[in-house]
Amino acid sequence: MPYDSTITFTLDTICPWTYLGFLRLRKALASYRATHPSSPVTFTLRVAPYQLYPDFSPVGENKYGWYMREKYNNSAERMDKYVAYMTALGRDEGVEMKFDENKGEIANTLNAHRVLLWIQENKREEDVLKALESLYTQYFCESTHPSAPATLTAACHAAGLSESEMKGLVEDESEGLGEVKMAIREQVGNAVDSVPYVVFEGRRRDFTLVGAKSVEEYEKVLGQVEKEAS
């Protein structure tokens, strides 16, 4: 019997682990769809907002310096190990994540989530995923500010929004603000306290994976959803 399973991917756009999880989950979905063309289960991927640091200022501060201070107690050795590790993980997924000492800000992500949620509610699944991929690429690979108007405009362009839609959505920060704040509160109410937090909706039960898992682990859950839907 046909069954449509919704996968809810809860994220923050400045979290490298959600970037890795997103890349791996999309690979898993593509592989599963290719190897199970007759599956009665279709999967719909939706994103949900969560802020790891809701008190960050919109202006932000140097990303490298913040990590050094807040995560690694100003230890250059520990920071170098982190950068090497994350860079290697990114390369495994085909992306070049940068942690430039002199470039890039970490900042409040509310506006990025607001734009993503609006696109999800008004456009196609593939459009919001293109917007999210753009936000991730800009922030992690091009060292852009996560919520700057130029960053959000580029994400809207990637999603195929018209010029008037882009202008209105980026410039009017009240557009969708109430909805995104409610969505964040909903995730907090669902006991989300770290990301990525991925829920696979099943016919009999849901499957939840916390943290960035491997492609194989995501594929295994897709198989479980299909098996229990039979």
Side-chain angles (χ1 to χ4, degrees), residues 3-227:
Y3 176 69
D4 182 25
S5 170
T6 296
I7 303 171
T8 302
F9 185 85
T10 304
L11 63 103
D12 199 357
T13 61
I14 56 172
C15 172
W17 294 108
T18 64
Y19 187 20
L20 294 171
F22 175 71
L23 292 170
R24 293 169 184 173
L25 178 57
R26 292 196 75 182
K27 286 180 181 179
L29 280 166
S31 174
Y32 197 83
R33 287 163 175 161
T35 55
H36 296 75
S38 301
S39 173
V41 179
T42 56
F43 293 98
T44 300
L45 180 56
R46 292 180 63 83
V47 300
Y50 182 82
Q51 285 192 282
L52 290 168
Y53 310 106
D55 296 327
F56 268 169
S57 80
V59 175
E61 61 177 285
N62 178 267
K63 177 167 61 176
Y64 188 94
W66 182 86
Y67 269 92
M68 274 277 286
R69 184 184 71 248
E70 298 295 330
K71 298 290 187 180
Y72 300 108
N73 197 30
N74 291 315
S75 168
E77 181 181 1
R78 293 177 63 197
M79 184 65 185
D80 287 346
K81 287 181 179 178
Y82 170 77
V83 170
Y85 180 58
M86 296 308 297
T87 301
L89 289 178
R91 285 175 181 160
D92 287 344
E93 304 306 327
V95 298
E96 192 72 26
M97 289 199 284
K98 297 178 181 178
F99 295 87
D100 195 317
E101 237 179 292
N102 302 308
K103 187 178 179 183
E105 296 85 32
I106 191 166
N108 195 289
T109 56
L110 185 62
N111 266 325
H113 286 302
R114 179 181 63 81
V115 167
L116 275 178
L117 190 62
W118 187 94
I119 295 172
Q120 179 160 264
E121 296 303 318
N122 292 278
K123 302 295 178 178
R124 300 168 300 174
E125 175 187 336
E126 63 190 76
D127 297 328
V128 72
L129 299 183
K130 287 176 181 177
L132 177 56
E133 186 171 14
S134 173
L135 289 172
Y136 278 142
T137 300
Q138 290 184 82
Y139 180 71
F140 287 106
C141 304
E142 300 169 8
S143 300
T144 64
H145 186 290
S147 293
T151 303
L152 302 182
T153 297
C156 289
H157 181 74
L161 272 64
S162 68
E163 291 297 325
S164 60
E165 286 175 324
M166 281 190 278
K167 184 177 176 64
L169 183 57
V170 173
E171 293 184 2
D172 183 1
E173 295 187 1
S174 67
E175 180 69 43
L177 183 61
E179 290 84 348
V180 77
K181 286 184 175 180
M182 185 181 300
I184 292 171
R185 287 196 297 270
E186 180 179 351
Q187 293 309 96
V188 173
N190 289 336
V192 174
D193 61 4
S194 63
V195 286
Y197 188 98
V198 191
V199 178
F200 299 75
E201 183 182 68
R203 188 188 293 277
R204 302 175 189 171
R205 58 174 173 151
D206 295 341
F207 301 86
T208 301
L209 294 179
V210 182
K213 304 303 182 183
S214 67
V215 173
E216 292 74 22
E217 286 175 286
Y218 288 130
E219 282 194 82
K220 181 179 179 180
V221 175
L222 296 174
Q224 288 176 304
V225 171
E226 178 177 338
K227 181 179 179 180

